[in-house]
Amino acid sequence: MFNSQGQCFEHVKGLSKYENNLYIVAAEENWMDITHKDVDKGKTIRFLQNLLNISSEQTIVFGDGLNDIPLFEHARYKVAMDNAYPELKSKANLISINNDRDGVIETLNTLLINDDNHSD
């Protein structure tokens, strides 16, 4: 959900009475996620890893918002964008340039080039 007035953190506090039934998180001041209580990015990545038979060790994730914290719990490579919240950056093992400057693509290219150089 988008809030152009940047009040998502306040809205999450106001919705706290629903947190037993819903997963509610302010990804950032303008964006908020509200889903079924058993759905978040961490559970979704685990589902995909199981479906594709991929381990956490084989997983790289990218994030910038607070809703990405559960995602970071299930990957070996955790990349926070340079414009990410400090709470997310503290969980990352790599900081990338932000996505306005193609940070995900640049990081993947760098990692893949380095991996190719080490596979010989």
Side-chain angles (χ1 to χ4, degrees):
M1 185 158 90
F2 179 74
N3 179 278
S4 62
Q5 298 168 342
Q7 298 172 326
C8 287
F9 291 111
E10 292 82 18
H11 291 318
V12 166
K13 290 176 191 172
L15 295 169
S16 65
K17 64 184 175 184
Y18 300 105
E19 64 189 9
N20 289 335
N21 298 314
L22 297 170
Y23 172 74
I24 304 169
V25 63
E28 52 187 77
E29 60 191 19
N30 293 101
W31 289 98
M32 179 169 56
D33 294 356
I34 301 175
T35 63
H36 186 278
K37 71 176 186 169
D38 294 329
V39 176
D40 64 39
K41 289 185 176 186
K43 292 176 180 135
T44 302
I45 196 74
R46 289 297 302 154
F47 173 81
L48 291 171
Q49 288 167 332
N50 289 330
L51 181 70
L52 300 170
N53 197 28
I54 297 170
S55 72
S56 295
E57 290 293 309
Q58 298 168 301
T59 304
I60 182 170
V61 295
F62 294 82
D64 60 359
L66 298 176
N67 61 338
D68 295 314
I69 290 173
L71 182 67
F72 274 34
E73 296 170 2
H74 300 287
R76 176 179 181 188
Y77 302 102
K78 305 159 190 66
V79 183
M81 312 318 285
D82 66 4
N83 59 327
Y85 281 82
E87 297 91 332
L88 188 67
K89 283 183 175 181
S90 71
K91 298 181 181 312
N93 45 24
L94 182 63
I95 306 296
S96 176
I97 59 175
N98 72 52
N99 217 28
D100 293 336
R101 296 177 40 216
D102 298 325
V104 172
I105 298 297
E106 291 294 324
T107 301
L108 287 173
N109 283 338
T110 300
L111 292 173
L112 292 172
I113 289 169
N114 285 337
D115 189 51
D116 284 345
N117 290 335
H118 289 99
S119 63
D120 294 336

